[in-house]
Amino acid sequence: MSERAIKRSPSTIHRDRPLITAWSAVSPFGLGRDAFAAGVGRGEPAHEVPDFDTRKVLGKAGTRTFDRATGLAVTAVRELLDEAEAAQSPIATGGRTALVLGTTLGSAHSAAGFSRASFEGEKPYDVPAQLMPNVLMNGPAAATAIRFDLKGPNTTLAGGAAGGLLALGYARRLLAADRAERAVVGAVEEQSATREWLAGDIDQPLGEGSAVLLMETARTLPPGRRVLAELLALDVRLDVDDDPAQALADTVREALDQAGATPDEVWAAAVTGQPAGEQLAALVGAEAVDRVPALLGDTGSAGTVFALTTVLSLAENDPAAAGRLAVIASLDHQGLAACAVLRLTGGDR
């Protein structure tokens, strides 16, 4: 470990830097944070959220028109809020709480079904109008905000494999501009026959789920809230030289440079989207990459958030992670590369 890594204390937190203070997920391992952590601990691959029926999970009130993506996102945020309440550290809602969700292109299945109805009906406008919100990419974020009284900025970012990291960056800007005191930030992807058709031949099975984080700063952190990680840097760039591996390397190096860090400080690292584990290992070490199992398949924009929640889950059970760094990167087939560098705090304030 470098001298810089030794001197950096996990309890030294910058007053204005974004902090991750809670997380939860609806994943192929089940509902909630504990189910996800248990699944990571077992290390068994899983791809589809088991037995997920939106109306059974959330109740019939207000859910009649929810599609699967909306149900997954709403349930993930419900789990986040309920778990915080159970831990006697409730998350305030209202006008100072933002919601930022990443996606690839919304619900492909809902959009395809709505479009099909315009061809199958007697007239092009003979479509199920009540399902129109599901065609829009911001449907899950809007439904979630309405259900849980999240009246702050409400944003959906379509960014493919980088969607979750783009959401982190957007939430960071909201906090820096004092547009919100806290942000629920994450991503959602659903599994469907339409998504499989659009994906075509891919190297890994498709997965689904929604993972969400609570992002705050030390300025507004309520008493007793644990700090799990500190967002040090985030870089995004597009490959313009037809060299995606170089684009990934450049964004990882730039993010580490912004963080004032070196590769030997990295405890855990993951890359989602295109297979690029070997390239990432060459930058930060194979041990860091091997530490983060890829169990859920291709979860699109949710992949980076699931990678981060995997790291947070592992770090909670390993004291050696405190004060070390996590690198979460993505590379999509169009050459969009992104990387976030976070410092794991071990739950200290």
Side-chain angles (χ1 to χ4, degrees):
M1 187 181 294
S2 69
E3 181 180 3
R4 178 188 297 157
I6 294 172
K7 288 184 176 180
R8 185 173 288 152
S9 167
S11 61
T12 304
I13 294 174
H14 192 280
R15 177 174 172 79
D16 297 315
R17 191 169 280 154
L19 309 173
I20 294 172
T21 57
W23 64 271
S24 194
V26 174
S27 73
F29 301 134
L31 306 186
R33 173 175 169 156
D34 289 345
F36 184 85
V40 170
R42 290 192 301 270
E44 299 174 359
H47 305 120
E48 187 171 335
V49 180
D51 303 320
F52 186 81
D53 183 302
T54 297
R55 304 198 77 188
K56 290 182 179 179
V57 172
L58 293 171
K60 295 182 179 180
T63 61
R64 183 172 60 88
T65 60
F66 280 14
D67 61 5
R68 190 171 180 86
T70 301
L72 291 170
V74 171
T75 303
V77 174
R78 183 198 68 179
E79 294 299 305
L80 178 74
L81 297 175
D82 286 353
E83 289 164 6
E85 187 77 31
Q88 298 183 345
S89 184
I91 298 170
T93 55
R96 296 294 286 167
T97 301
L99 176 63
V100 186
L101 286 182
T103 183
T104 298
L105 45 74
S107 171
H109 189 69
S110 294
F114 197 84
S115 298
R116 186 184 304 111
S118 71
F119 290 99
E120 294 177 344
E122 290 187 14
K123 299 290 185 180
Y125 50 77
D126 289 337
V127 294
Q130 72 275 16
L131 300 182
M132 180 61 190
N134 297 332
V135 179
L136 306 176
M137 286 186 290
N138 67 334
T144 303
I146 291 169
R147 192 173 185 91
F148 299 116
D149 194 38
L150 306 178
K151 295 181 179 178
N154 185 281
T155 307
T156 298
L157 295 167
L165 293 183
L166 296 179
L168 278 177
Y170 193 95
R172 177 177 66 171
R173 293 192 294 275
L174 287 177
L175 296 180
D178 197 31
R179 294 288 308 280
E181 291 184 359
R182 67 201 64 82
V184 175
V185 53
V188 60
E189 294 289 351
E190 67 174 14
Q191 177 62 295
S192 68
T194 305
R195 184 170 169 231
E196 290 179 353
W197 177 76
L198 288 172
D201 295 327
I202 58 174
D203 296 328
Q204 56 181 327
L206 294 178
E208 68 170 353
S210 179
V212 290
L213 314 161
L214 179 63
M215 184 180 287
E216 303 174 274
T217 67
R219 289 182 289 107
T220 58
L221 204 64
R225 184 95 82 206
R226 298 175 64 210
V227 176
L228 306 176
E230 186 178 8
L231 179 60
L232 304 181
L234 196 152
D235 185 72
V236 182
R237 64 187 62 213
L238 182 65
D239 171 29
V240 296
D241 299 317
D242 197 25
D243 190 350
Q246 187 60 49
L248 177 66
D250 288 344
T251 196
V252 172
R253 291 192 182 104
E254 174 61 23
L256 285 170
D257 187 60
Q258 289 178 22
T262 55
D264 61 302
E265 297 176 63
V266 178
W267 180 76
V271 59
T272 68
Q274 296 298 297
E278 291 184 4
Q279 292 94 322
L280 185 59
L283 296 167
V284 300
E287 183 179 5
V289 174
D290 292 343
R291 186 167 277 123
V292 188
L295 302 172
L296 305 183
D298 180 358
T299 53
S301 64
T304 50
V305 193
F306 275 128
L308 179 50
T309 56
T310 298
V311 170
L312 294 174
S313 176
L314 294 170
E316 188 149 3
N317 297 309
D318 190 342
R324 302 288 300 280
L325 301 185
V327 167
I328 307 297
S330 68
L331 179 66
D332 71 14
H333 67 281
Q334 295 179 323
L336 181 64
C339 178
V341 177
L342 303 101
R343 181 163 61 88
L344 304 168
T345 65
D348 291 338
R349 283 297 302 264

